[in-house]
């Protein structure tokens, strides 16, 4: 059975990767805009520093959770000193590379370390690619386990990747209002809201596909029942993830154009994050029931 710290490792790694992906892609697109003003550039530079720092911190926490779950620093370092062809080993190297890239970007933006423009842009491209791989990896980590029918589901990597992206976008939107002169970036924030809305819609479709594939798999039946039944993880899964993690944030994002609200709705973004954590806990608990 996977422990609590593995679940936290999957959530923090995915959410951190999602935040870094959003930050890196946003930065690459922003600096290609020729109409940006000096004030906008200054506001975005301050925001980007915070985003990279938070993303780096989340990944560092995920590494710490993995270290605790392994039980000893010796076993942790063996992942890198004696690598294998296992998915855990590959994912550990991707996590380490993302951690290093985001750490450098955080130092360049938040601490003001000097670096040529092409170095920063190259690191942002690398960070975006590594973060995207890491978001998919958090789902592959479970889907690769053929011994657990509920996890061995072709839709799980997509569900976890979209959940990680949604969590990352929620983190970015939560941090935006605490940045000086963030209103100068309101057009970009509106665009991120639209992207987040689309991601939540795709996440719901991925959930439907996951449940459909689990239904047609007779071996996954008992774990699926446990996942959605009131006697199992159903109340947490339905209320915490489906409603709190998808439906409510989806409704809040869809209603923004009609309310005229500029600032992100903090409660909806927090629910989105909480839902991502609940998703992983519920799936791990329901799947582990199969193992006895």
């Amino acid at each position: 059975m996977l422990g609590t710290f593995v679940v936290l490792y999957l959530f923090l790694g995915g959410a951190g990767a999602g935040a870094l992906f959003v930050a890196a892609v946003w930065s690459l697109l922003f600096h290609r805009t020729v109409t940006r003003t000096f004030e906008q550039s200054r506001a975005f530079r301050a925001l980007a520093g915070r985003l990279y720092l938070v993303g780096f911190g989340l990944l560092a926490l995920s590494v710490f959770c993995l270290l605790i779950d392994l039980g000893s620093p010796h076993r942790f370092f063996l992942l890198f000193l004696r690598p294998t062809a296992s998915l855990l080993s590959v994912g550990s190297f991707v996590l380490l590379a993302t951690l290093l890239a985001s750490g450098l970007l955080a130092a360049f933006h938040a601490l003001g370390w000097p670096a040529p423009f092409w170095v920063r842009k190259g690191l942002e491209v690398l960070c975006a690619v590594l973060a995207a791989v890491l978001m998919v990896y958090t789902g592959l980590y479970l889907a690769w386990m053929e011994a657990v029918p509920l996890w061995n589901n072709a839709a799980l990597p997509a569900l976890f990747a979209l959940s990680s992206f949604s969590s990352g976008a929620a983190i970015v939107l939560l941090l935006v209002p605490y940045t000086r002169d963030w209103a100068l970036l309101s057009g970009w924030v509106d665009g991120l809201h639209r992207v987040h809305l689309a991601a939540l819609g795709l996440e719901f479709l991925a959930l439907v596909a996951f449940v459909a594939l689990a239904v047609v798999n007779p071996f996954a039946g008992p774990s699926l029942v446990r996942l959605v039944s009131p006697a199992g993880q159903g109340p947490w899964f339905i209320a915490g993830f489906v409603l709190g993690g998808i439906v409510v944030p989806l409704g809040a994002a869809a209603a923004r154009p009609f309310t005229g609200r500029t600032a992100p709705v903090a409660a909806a973004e927090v629910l989105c994050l909480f839902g991502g954590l609940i998703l992983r806990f519920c799936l791990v608990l329901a799947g582990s029931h199969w193992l006895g």
Side-chain angles (χ1 to χ4, degrees), residues 162-259:
L162 289 165
S163 172
S164 296
F165 178 84
S166 295
S167 297
I171 291 170
V172 172
L173 290 170
L174 282 171
L175 292 174
V176 162
Y178 299 98
T179 302
R180 182 181 177 182
D181 296 330
W182 74 269
L184 296 173
L185 305 171
S186 59
W188 290 92
V189 175
D190 287 340
L192 179 56
H193 272 292
R194 290 192 291 270
V195 172
H196 193 200
L197 176 64
L200 288 168
L202 290 174
E203 186 179 353
F204 183 78
L205 293 178
L207 173 63
V208 172
F210 172 82
V211 172
L213 290 175
V215 167
V216 299
N217 182 353
F219 298 104
S223 295
L224 181 62
V225 169
R226 186 173 181 85
L227 179 66
V228 300
S229 69
Q233 281 73 52
W236 283 99
F237 184 74
I238 301 298
F241 170 59
V242 179
L243 294 179
I246 297 182
V247 175
V248 172
L250 189 63
R256 284 187 77 256
F258 306 101
T259 60

Side-chain angles (χ1 to χ4, degrees), residues 35 63 68 116 156 173 175 206 222 244:
T35 57
V63 171
I68 293 177
L156 187 59
L173 290 170
L175 292 174

Side-chain angles (χ1 to χ4, degrees), residues 87-101:
L87 193 62
L88 177 61
S89 182
V90 173
S92 299
F93 275 96
V94 173
L95 176 58
L96 179 62
T98 313
L99 194 64
L100 292 174

Side-chain angles (χ1 to χ4, degrees), residues 264-275:
V265 182
E269 311 306 341
V270 170
L271 282 174
C272 183
L273 278 172
F274 184 69

Side-chain angles (χ1 to χ4, degrees), residues 76-124:
F76 176 77
F77 289 116
L78 281 179
L79 288 173
F80 304 100
L81 297 176
R82 296 180 183 175
T84 65
S86 69
L87 193 62
L88 177 61
S89 182
V90 173
S92 299
F93 275 96
V94 173
L95 176 58
L96 179 62
T98 313
L99 194 64
L100 292 174
S102 61
L104 287 173
L105 287 169
F108 292 150
H109 286 80
L111 303 180
W113 284 14
F117 180 79
W118 65 269
V119 171
R120 294 191 184 197
K121 296 302 105 180
L123 275 174
E124 286 179 337

